[in-house]
Amino acid sequence: MTDHATILHTAQRTAVATAQFGGPDLLDLAGAYRVQRRLIDLRAGDGEHVTGLKLGFTSRAKMRQMGVDQLIAGQLTSAMEAADGGSVRHTALVHPRVEPELVFRLGRDITPELDPQSLANAVDGVAVGLEVIDSRYTDFRFSLPDVVADNASAAHYALGLWQQPEQSLANLGVLLEIDGRIVETGSTAAILGDPWRALRSAVSHAEQYGIALTAGQVILDGAATSAHPFPAGSVARATMSRLGSATLRMSAGSGGRS
Ligand code: OOG
Ligand code: MG
Protein backbone atom coordinates (compact mmCIF):
# COMPACT_ATOMS: atom_id res chain seq x y z
CA MET A 1 0.00 0.00 0.00
CA THR A 2 1.24 3.47 -0.84
CA ASP A 3 2.05 5.45 2.28
CA HIS A 4 0.13 8.54 3.38
CA ALA A 5 2.97 10.95 2.63
CA THR A 6 3.36 9.71 -0.95
CA ILE A 7 -0.39 9.96 -1.56
CA LEU A 8 -0.44 13.58 -0.30
CA HIS A 9 2.73 14.45 -2.18
CA THR A 10 1.26 13.14 -5.42
CA ALA A 11 -2.04 14.98 -4.79
CA GLN A 12 -0.10 18.21 -4.35
CA ARG A 13 2.15 17.69 -7.37
CA THR A 14 -0.72 16.76 -9.68
CA ALA A 15 -3.30 19.13 -8.13
CA VAL A 16 -5.81 16.30 -7.89
CA ALA A 17 -7.68 15.91 -4.59
CA THR A 18 -7.40 12.69 -2.61
CA ALA A 19 -9.79 11.02 -0.15
CA GLN A 20 -9.52 11.83 3.56
CA PHE A 21 -7.68 9.21 5.60
CA GLY A 22 -10.21 9.50 8.40
CA GLY A 23 -10.45 10.36 12.07
CA PRO A 24 -8.20 9.54 15.00
CA ASP A 25 -8.99 5.81 14.77
CA LEU A 26 -7.16 5.60 11.46
CA LEU A 27 -4.47 8.22 11.94
CA ASP A 28 -3.63 9.75 15.31
CA LEU A 29 -2.05 13.14 15.79
CA ALA A 30 1.46 11.82 16.48
CA GLY A 31 1.23 9.63 13.39
CA ALA A 32 -0.05 12.59 11.39
CA TYR A 33 2.99 14.69 12.33
CA ARG A 34 5.21 11.78 11.24
CA VAL A 35 3.44 11.80 7.86
CA GLN A 36 3.99 15.56 7.66
CA ARG A 37 7.70 15.14 8.37
CA ARG A 38 7.99 12.51 5.65
CA LEU A 39 6.12 14.82 3.25
CA ILE A 40 8.67 17.56 3.93
CA ASP A 41 11.47 15.01 3.33
CA LEU A 42 9.90 14.21 -0.05
CA ARG A 43 9.82 17.91 -0.90
CA ALA A 44 13.43 18.26 0.23
CA GLY A 45 14.21 15.38 -2.13
CA ASP A 46 12.72 17.52 -4.90
CA GLY A 47 15.20 20.30 -4.04
CA GLU A 48 13.06 22.44 -1.72
CA HIS A 49 14.38 23.73 1.60
CA VAL A 50 12.48 24.69 4.74
CA THR A 51 11.87 28.43 5.07
CA GLY A 52 9.82 28.46 8.27
CA LEU A 53 6.79 27.32 10.16
CA LYS A 54 3.08 28.08 9.88
CA LEU A 55 0.49 27.82 12.60
CA GLY A 56 -3.11 26.90 11.94
CA PHE A 57 -6.33 27.37 13.88
CA THR A 58 -5.03 30.05 16.23
CA SER A 59 -8.30 31.99 15.81
CA ARG A 60 -11.88 31.00 16.49
CA ALA A 61 -12.87 32.18 13.01
CA LYS A 62 -10.62 29.55 11.44
CA MET A 63 -11.56 26.79 13.88
CA ARG A 64 -15.24 27.43 13.26
CA GLN A 65 -14.82 27.57 9.52
CA MET A 66 -13.04 24.21 9.37
CA GLY A 67 -14.76 22.47 12.30
CA VAL A 68 -11.63 21.75 14.33
CA ASP A 69 -10.65 22.84 17.82
CA GLN A 70 -6.91 22.59 18.20
CA LEU A 71 -3.85 24.53 17.11
CA ILE A 72 -1.71 22.81 14.48
CA ALA A 73 1.51 23.59 12.62
CA GLY A 74 3.04 22.90 9.24
CA GLN A 75 6.36 23.61 7.59
CA LEU A 76 6.99 26.16 4.84
CA THR A 77 9.36 25.49 1.96
CA SER A 78 11.17 27.57 -0.65
CA ALA A 79 8.78 26.47 -3.40
CA MET A 80 5.86 27.98 -1.49
CA GLU A 81 7.22 31.51 -1.35
CA ALA A 82 5.86 33.97 -3.91
CA ALA A 83 6.87 37.59 -4.42
CA ASP A 84 4.62 40.30 -3.01
CA GLY A 85 2.69 41.58 -6.03
CA GLY A 86 3.51 38.39 -7.93
CA SER A 87 1.27 35.53 -8.92
CA VAL A 88 0.67 31.86 -8.35
CA ARG A 89 -0.89 29.39 -10.77
CA HIS A 90 -4.43 28.17 -10.31
CA THR A 91 -3.86 25.08 -12.42
CA ALA A 92 -1.17 23.89 -9.98
CA LEU A 93 -3.65 23.96 -7.08
CA VAL A 94 -6.75 21.96 -6.14
CA HIS A 95 -9.17 24.52 -4.64
CA PRO A 96 -7.12 27.41 -3.28
CA ARG A 97 -8.26 29.79 -0.56
CA VAL A 98 -6.51 32.87 0.71
CA GLU A 99 -6.15 34.39 4.18
CA PRO A 100 -4.32 37.21 5.94
CA GLU A 101 -1.35 36.31 8.16
CA LEU A 102 0.85 38.17 10.58
CA VAL A 103 4.43 37.03 10.00
CA PHE A 104 7.52 37.08 12.21
CA ARG A 105 11.08 36.78 10.90
CA LEU A 106 13.79 35.31 13.10
CA GLY A 107 17.02 37.27 13.32
CA ARG A 108 18.84 34.40 14.99
CA ASP A 109 18.52 30.71 15.75
CA ILE A 110 16.04 29.78 18.46
CA THR A 111 17.49 27.71 21.26
CA PRO A 112 15.28 25.59 23.54
CA GLU A 113 13.59 27.19 26.55
CA LEU A 114 14.13 30.77 25.51
CA ASP A 115 12.24 33.13 27.85
CA PRO A 116 9.56 35.33 26.20
CA GLN A 117 11.71 38.46 26.23
CA SER A 118 14.70 36.73 24.59
CA LEU A 119 12.32 35.24 22.05
CA ALA A 120 10.91 38.68 21.27
CA ASN A 121 14.50 39.93 20.88
CA ALA A 122 15.22 37.12 18.43
CA VAL A 123 12.55 38.50 16.07
CA ASP A 124 14.01 41.02 13.65
CA GLY A 125 10.93 41.85 11.59
CA VAL A 126 7.17 41.60 11.34
CA ALA A 127 5.20 41.79 8.12
CA VAL A 128 1.76 41.27 6.68
CA GLY A 129 1.54 37.97 4.86
CA LEU A 130 -0.94 36.55 2.42
CA GLU A 131 -1.28 32.81 2.66
CA VAL A 132 -2.75 30.59 -0.03
CA ILE A 133 -3.99 27.37 1.53
CA ASP A 134 -5.02 24.38 -0.55
CA SER A 135 -6.25 21.22 1.10
CA ARG A 136 -5.25 18.14 -0.83
CA TYR A 137 -8.47 16.46 0.37
CA THR A 138 -11.73 16.25 -1.53
CA ASP A 139 -14.09 19.20 -0.88
CA PHE A 140 -11.54 20.88 1.44
CA ARG A 141 -12.80 18.71 4.30
CA PHE A 142 -10.63 16.94 6.86
CA SER A 143 -10.21 15.67 10.41
CA LEU A 144 -7.50 17.19 12.58
CA PRO A 145 -5.00 14.36 11.86
CA ASP A 146 -5.84 14.61 8.14
CA VAL A 147 -4.96 18.30 7.96
CA VAL A 148 -1.81 17.83 10.03
CA ALA A 149 -0.64 15.07 7.69
CA ASP A 150 -1.37 17.41 4.76
CA ASN A 151 1.09 19.94 6.19
CA ALA A 152 -1.69 22.23 7.42
CA SER A 153 -2.88 22.84 3.83
CA ALA A 154 0.26 24.90 3.12
CA ALA A 155 0.52 25.98 -0.52
CA HIS A 156 1.95 29.49 -0.99
CA TYR A 157 2.74 32.65 0.92
CA ALA A 158 3.76 36.20 0.04
CA LEU A 159 5.27 38.72 2.44
CA GLY A 160 4.80 42.49 2.57
CA LEU A 161 7.55 44.87 3.66
CA TRP A 162 9.33 44.06 6.92
CA GLN A 163 8.68 46.42 9.83
CA GLN A 164 10.42 46.88 13.18
CA PRO A 165 9.04 44.32 15.63
CA GLU A 166 8.98 46.29 18.86
CA GLN A 167 5.45 47.63 18.54
CA SER A 168 2.44 46.06 20.17
CA LEU A 169 0.67 43.72 17.79
CA ALA A 170 -2.27 42.83 19.99
CA ASN A 171 -5.04 44.77 18.29
CA LEU A 172 -4.36 45.67 14.67
CA GLY A 173 -7.19 45.89 12.18
CA VAL A 174 -7.08 43.17 9.50
CA LEU A 175 -8.65 43.35 6.02
CA LEU A 176 -8.82 40.81 3.24
CA GLU A 177 -9.79 42.07 -0.20
CA ILE A 178 -10.46 40.22 -3.44
CA ASP A 179 -10.37 42.42 -6.53
CA GLY A 180 -10.70 45.51 -4.33
CA ARG A 181 -13.78 44.24 -2.51
CA ILE A 182 -13.51 43.63 1.24
CA VAL A 183 -14.36 39.99 1.95
CA GLU A 184 -13.11 39.58 5.54
CA THR A 185 -12.35 41.93 8.40
CA GLY A 186 -10.89 41.19 11.80
CA SER A 187 -8.27 42.02 14.39
CA THR A 188 -4.94 40.48 15.32
CA ALA A 189 -6.48 40.13 18.82
CA ALA A 190 -8.21 37.07 17.37
CA ILE A 191 -4.82 35.30 17.10
CA LEU A 192 -4.67 33.63 20.53
CA GLY A 193 -5.39 37.05 22.04
CA ASP A 194 -1.97 38.33 20.94
CA PRO A 195 0.21 37.29 17.98
CA TRP A 196 3.27 37.12 20.26
CA ARG A 197 1.55 34.30 22.13
CA ALA A 198 1.18 32.45 18.84
CA LEU A 199 4.91 32.86 18.25
CA ARG A 200 5.58 31.23 21.61
CA SER A 201 3.28 28.36 20.62
CA ALA A 202 5.24 27.94 17.40
CA VAL A 203 8.47 27.68 19.37
CA SER A 204 6.97 25.08 21.74
CA HIS A 205 5.72 23.11 18.78
CA ALA A 206 9.14 23.19 17.12
CA GLU A 207 10.78 22.00 20.35
CA GLN A 208 8.27 19.21 20.80
CA TYR A 209 8.72 17.91 17.27
CA GLY A 210 12.46 18.51 16.93
CA ILE A 211 12.06 21.17 14.23
CA ALA A 212 14.95 23.67 14.02
CA LEU A 213 13.95 27.34 13.96
CA THR A 214 16.86 29.22 12.46
CA ALA A 215 17.86 32.77 11.55
CA GLY A 216 16.06 34.05 8.48
CA GLN A 217 13.09 31.72 8.84
CA VAL A 218 9.55 33.08 8.95
CA ILE A 219 6.63 32.13 11.17
CA LEU A 220 3.05 32.56 9.99
CA ASP A 221 0.89 33.17 13.05
CA GLY A 222 -2.38 31.72 11.75
CA ALA A 223 -5.16 33.70 10.13
CA ALA A 224 -7.27 36.08 12.20
CA THR A 225 -10.21 35.69 9.80
CA SER A 226 -11.82 32.91 7.79
CA ALA A 227 -10.12 31.97 4.54
CA HIS A 228 -11.78 33.01 1.28
CA PRO A 229 -11.88 31.25 -2.12
CA PHE A 230 -9.15 32.56 -4.44
CA PRO A 231 -10.45 32.18 -8.03
CA ALA A 232 -8.32 32.24 -11.17
CA GLY A 233 -7.84 35.74 -12.52
CA SER A 234 -8.40 37.52 -9.21
CA VAL A 235 -6.12 39.60 -6.99
CA ALA A 236 -6.04 39.21 -3.20
CA ARG A 237 -4.70 41.73 -0.77
CA ALA A 238 -4.24 41.53 3.01
CA THR A 239 -3.83 44.75 4.99
CA MET A 240 -3.08 45.33 8.68
CA SER A 241 -3.13 48.70 10.43
CA ARG A 242 0.35 50.24 10.65
CA LEU A 243 2.03 47.19 9.10
CA GLY A 244 1.02 47.58 5.45
CA SER A 245 -0.17 44.96 3.01
CA ALA A 246 0.71 42.00 0.81
CA THR A 247 -0.77 41.21 -2.60
CA LEU A 248 -0.97 38.18 -4.88
CA ARG A 249 -2.63 37.43 -8.19
CA MET A 250 -4.06 34.02 -9.03
CA SER A 251 -3.13 33.47 -12.64
CA ALA A 252 -5.37 31.36 -14.82
CA GLY A 253 -2.57 30.30 -17.14
CA SER A 254 -0.79 26.98 -17.00
CA GLY A 255 2.65 28.38 -17.89
CA GLY A 256 5.41 29.13 -15.40
CA ARG A 257 5.09 31.70 -12.65
CA SER A 258 3.98 34.91 -14.28
C1 OOG B 1 -5.61 24.54 7.54
C2 OOG B 1 -4.65 25.68 7.66
C3 OOG B 1 -5.01 26.66 8.74
C4 OOG B 1 -4.62 29.04 9.56
O1 OOG B 1 -4.08 30.13 9.37
O2 OOG B 1 -5.42 28.85 10.48
C5 OOG B 1 -4.26 27.93 8.64
C6 OOG B 1 -6.84 24.88 6.71
O3 OOG B 1 -7.63 25.74 7.10
O4 OOG B 1 -7.01 24.25 5.66
O5 OOG B 1 -3.40 28.12 7.83
MG1 MG C 1 -2.93 30.25 7.63
Side-chain angles (χ1 to χ4, degrees):
M1 197 194 105
T2 319
D3 69 291
H4 292 148
T6 305
I7 291 169
L8 288 166
H9 191 58
T10 303
Q12 185 259 316
R13 288 294 192 245
T14 57
V16 176
T18 189
Q20 292 75 8
F21 297 124
D25 297 345
L26 294 168
L27 186 66
D28 67 12
L29 214 50
Y33 276 110
R34 283 195 295 275
V35 174
Q36 185 189 110
R37 174 172 289 262
R38 165 124 178 83
L39 194 59
I40 297 302
D41 288 345
L42 291 172
R43 294 187 73 135
D46 293 342
E48 300 176 27
H49 63 269
V50 172
T51 54
L53 196 68
K54 61 161 284 183
L55 291 176
F57 309 131
T58 51
S59 70
R60 290 206 179 283
K62 282 288 303 183
M63 287 190 202
R64 223 179 0 247
Q65 183 180 30
M66 302 317 298
V68 297
D69 60 2
Q70 210 176 306
L71 186 150
I72 63 167
Q75 289 189 266
L76 302 169
T77 74
S78 44
M80 297 177 192
E81 189 172 358
D84 182 22
S87 65
V88 294
R89 285 189 299 126
H90 197 269
T91 49
L93 299 162
V94 184
H95 33 210
R97 295 179 180 176
V98 65
E99 56 189 26
E101 294 276 344
L102 189 113
V103 187
F104 291 105
R105 184 179 61 193
L106 301 176
R108 54 186 170 82
D109 297 358
I110 299 298
T111 47
E113 283 156 33
L114 217 55
D115 62 86
Q117 189 52 51
S118 312
L119 176 60
N121 293 341
V123 170
D124 75 353
V126 294
V128 175
L130 198 55
E131 185 185 16
V132 180
I133 54 171
D134 190 34
S135 175
R136 266 58 66 164
Y137 299 112
T138 310
D139 298 335
F140 221 116
R141 287 165 55 89
F142 42 68
S143 66
L144 198 68
D146 281 332
V147 65
V148 164
D150 187 26
N151 196 28
S153 309
H156 287 293
Y157 65 94
L159 304 171
L161 289 179
W162 291 108
Q163 312 289 339
Q164 288 300 321
E166 66 260 25
Q167 55 195 311
S168 164
L169 302 171
N171 190 10
L172 305 180
V174 178
L175 281 186
L176 179 66
E177 289 166 85
I178 305 277
D179 293 333
R181 192 170 56 88
I182 295 172
V183 292
E184 296 287 343
T185 59
S187 159
T188 55
I191 306 166
L192 296 182
D194 181 354
W196 288 104
R197 185 171 299 147
L199 178 70
R200 294 197 287 278
S201 299
V203 170
S204 311
H205 175 88
E207 277 170 21
Q208 186 181 347
Y209 289 94
I211 296 167
L213 290 179
T214 57
Q217 286 190 355
V218 298
I219 294 169
L220 271 57
D221 244 9
T225 71
S226 297
H228 200 274
F230 195 0
S234 63
V235 174
R237 190 218 303 258
T239 306
M240 293 186 195
S241 351
R242 298 209 313 265
L243 289 184
S245 63
T247 307
L248 268 182
R249 190 166 68 88
M250 183 59 78
S251 80
S254 54
R257 282 188 192 183
S258 60

